[in-house]
Amino acid sequence: MADNNPAGVDNTFRRKFDREEYLERAREPKGPPVQRKPLKHRDYVVDLESRLGKTQVVTPIAPLSQQAGYYCSVCECVVKDSANYLDHINGKKHQRALGMSMRVERASLDQVRERFELLKKRKVPGSFSEQDLDERIIKQQEEEEERRRQRREKKKEKKKEKAAVEEETEMDPDIAAMMGFGSFHSSKK
């Protein structure tokens, strides 16, 4: 049996664009384009190490600024680790929120020369020597040895305290035998 209906697609539902409406929208006055400043150096140090090694209780009802991770007050978002936080603050979204474009101002030859002179003045000749490096290494080793010694002392103190507590709670063996207690310790000592 053959159908008389032609096989095909019904395209009558497609959207028809109203040219006059779009021409009217185009004629409407728009605001001036946003002029963003070129990128510039940060005038603050990014603090990535303040919460390093600290534990924090994570609750879903805490405000964003107190949640786990790095909080960006400009964009009001939380980033979970330091690498992603650096990517965020160097990224397009954050820089736009600060009012900067991602373009860098082109430096003139005089500016480059001034910068080189400034860096030359900052670097004092002979400021670094192998002796300085050796002294710093020795100092670091001494500090590490001091930390190890303090850890050993803490362990010894804890052992002594634990032994003192056990000694206080230990019963007289005659009384323990009379009450029917054997020794709770192993036979090996």
Side-chain angles (χ1 to χ4, degrees), residues 153-167:
E153 285 179 7
K154 282 183 183 178
K155 280 185 179 179
K156 284 181 183 178
E157 286 178 23
K158 283 184 181 180
K159 243 183 181 177
K160 285 181 184 177
E161 288 176 11
K162 192 174 181 182
V165 168
E166 284 181 8
E167 202 173 280

Side-chain angles (χ1 to χ4, degrees), residues 15-25:
R15 184 174 176 189
K16 312 279 190 295
F17 290 98
D18 186 6
R19 285 185 169 209
E20 286 150 19
E21 179 185 344
Y22 286 99
L23 282 172
E24 216 175 283
R25 282 189 191 176

Side-chain angles (χ1 to χ4, degrees), residues 115-130:
R115 186 72 178 168
F116 275 133
E117 290 299 320
L118 178 73
L119 292 173
K120 281 181 186 176
K121 288 177 184 174
R122 194 181 295 174
K123 183 181 175 185
V124 179
S127 64
F128 179 76
S129 66
E130 287 187 32

Side-chain angles (χ1 to χ4, degrees), residues 183-189:
S183 175
F184 289 116
H185 304 289
S186 66
S187 58
K188 296 179 182 177
K189 278 201 175 185

